[in-house]
Amino acid sequence: MKGLTELLKGVLEGIVLQKIGQGETYGYEITQYLQNIGFEDIAEGTVYTVLLRLEKKGLLHVEKRKSELGPPRKFYRLNDFGKCELDKFWEKWFFLARKLNELKENDSK
Amino acid sequence: MKGLTELLKGVLEGIVLQKIGQGETYGYEITQYLQNIGFEDIAEGTVYTVLLRLEKKGLLHVEKRKSELGPPRKFYRLNDFGKCELDKFWEKWFFLARKLNELKENDSK
DNA sequence: ATACACTACTTAGTATTACTATATAGTTAA
DNA sequence: TTAACTATATAGTAATACTAAGTAGTGTAT
């Protein structure tokens, strides 16, 4: 899907948090994952900037370890603060989603 | 709801387009409307910058007319391009909403 | 051994957007 | 005439995703 950039602001961060929340992972894997679920236009660089930002904000536990195949990976997990921020993201998202559904449904009335 | 700023990127424009699509309106009224439906933290200035942007992009038919009570108003309607962009907004929104629901539902599995 | 593909991470610079703060001004009622 | 309400505009800021480019380890085919 093209032209999603502005709509992704804030959302991409939430998606990445959610993915990390489902189990230890790393940047390259997250990028592949996003491609697979339909976000074909999200580039690697974008994902890494999100990760570094989340790291700086202190939401992630980070561990650099060797990979069996390829260069070393930075493995991420959510810490307590990260889990809290993930919850907040979903709250905000569902607030917005509910509002937008209401707006759209007013059409048919 | 606080801290919605980043999530509103792109969305606010869509909401304003949708509101205008429901019938001729003007900035001040749109602002009041947003307050009423739960977006208490969206300031007047924000709405006007959106409107001027949409105007510049050529999505709106504009007509400045006197008001019965108060200063003159700029009345807006969607032109064909605006209607097209509104449709595109909803397409993008529902794409994203569907994806996010899928991500969230993976939790329970 | 060498070249290539794949894996994996980083970063500088850009564009877009919502927000803050402030300014301007017409209208109405006290 | 003062205050409250209506109505619009705009300069500057912060946050975020995107582009483009670079670095480097590992595995495979030639």
Side-chain angles (χ1 to χ4, degrees):
Chain A
M1 182 111 203
K2 297 268 178 186
L4 232 50
T5 298
E6 293 309 323
L7 247 39
L8 278 177
K9 299 254 172 102
V11 173
L12 178 57
E13 194 172 296
I15 295 176
V16 170
L17 278 176
Q18 171 71 11
K19 169 67 176 153
I20 297 174
Q22 287 171 351
E24 196 183 53
T25 184
Y26 55 97
Y28 193 79
E29 192 177 52
I30 295 172
T31 306
Q32 304 294 77
Y33 170 75
L34 290 173
Q35 311 283 311
N36 287 337
I37 64 173
F39 295 104
E40 293 93 2
D41 301 314
I42 297 178
E44 275 190 273
T46 304
V47 176
Y48 287 112
T49 53
V50 171
L51 286 170
L52 291 173
R53 192 166 67 235
L54 293 173
E55 207 183 322
K56 263 180 205 159
K57 285 191 196 168
L59 313 194
L60 304 181
H61 174 267
V62 192
E63 221 179 307
K64 193 159 195 171
R65 294 203 306 270
K66 283 173 195 163
S67 160
E68 306 85 37
L69 59 150
R73 298 167 179 161
K74 278 175 76 176
F75 288 94
Y76 293 103
R77 279 180 293 161
L78 296 188
N79 59 28
D80 289 345
F81 184 37
K83 284 174 195 166
C84 182
E85 290 299 304
L86 177 56
D87 288 343
K88 282 192 205 159
F89 164 74
W90 283 119
E91 263 182 58
K92 289 185 252 171
W93 168 260
F94 284 119
F95 172 85
L96 201 58
R98 194 164 137 263
K99 292 295 172 199
L100 274 268
N101 278 335
E102 286 169 11
L103 289 188
K104 185 59 176 164
E105 274 161 28
N106 274 350
D107 269 357
S108 12
K109 288 193 225 167
Chain B
M1 182 108 203
K2 298 268 178 183
L4 233 50
T5 297
E6 293 308 324
L7 248 39
L8 278 176
K9 298 259 172 96
V11 173
L12 179 57
E13 194 171 297
I15 295 176
V16 169
L17 278 175
Q18 170 72 11
K19 169 68 177 153
I20 298 174
Q22 287 171 351
E24 195 181 53
T25 185
Y26 55 97
Y28 193 79
E29 191 177 53
I30 295 171
T31 305
Q32 304 293 76
Y33 170 75
L34 291 173
Q35 311 282 312
N36 287 337
I37 65 172
F39 295 104
E40 293 94 1
D41 301 314
I42 297 178
E44 277 189 271
T46 304
V47 175
Y48 287 111
T49 54
V50 171
L51 286 169
L52 291 172
R53 192 167 67 236
L54 294 173
E55 206 183 322
K56 264 181 204 158
K57 285 191 197 167
L59 313 193
L60 303 181
H61 174 267
V62 191
E63 222 178 307
K64 192 159 196 170
R65 294 202 306 270
K66 284 173 196 164
S67 161
E68 307 86 36
L69 60 150
R73 298 168 179 160
K74 279 175 76 173
F75 289 93
Y76 293 104
R77 279 181 293 160
L78 296 189
N79 59 27
D80 289 344
F81 185 37
K83 284 174 195 167
C84 182
E85 290 299 304
L86 177 56
D87 288 344
K88 282 192 206 160
F89 164 74
W90 284 118
E91 263 182 59
K92 288 185 253 173
W93 168 262
F94 284 118
F95 172 85
L96 201 58
R98 194 164 136 263
K99 291 296 172 198
L100 274 267
N101 278 334
E102 286 169 10
L103 289 189
K104 185 59 178 165
E105 274 162 28
N106 275 350
D107 268 357
S108 12
K109 289 193 222 164

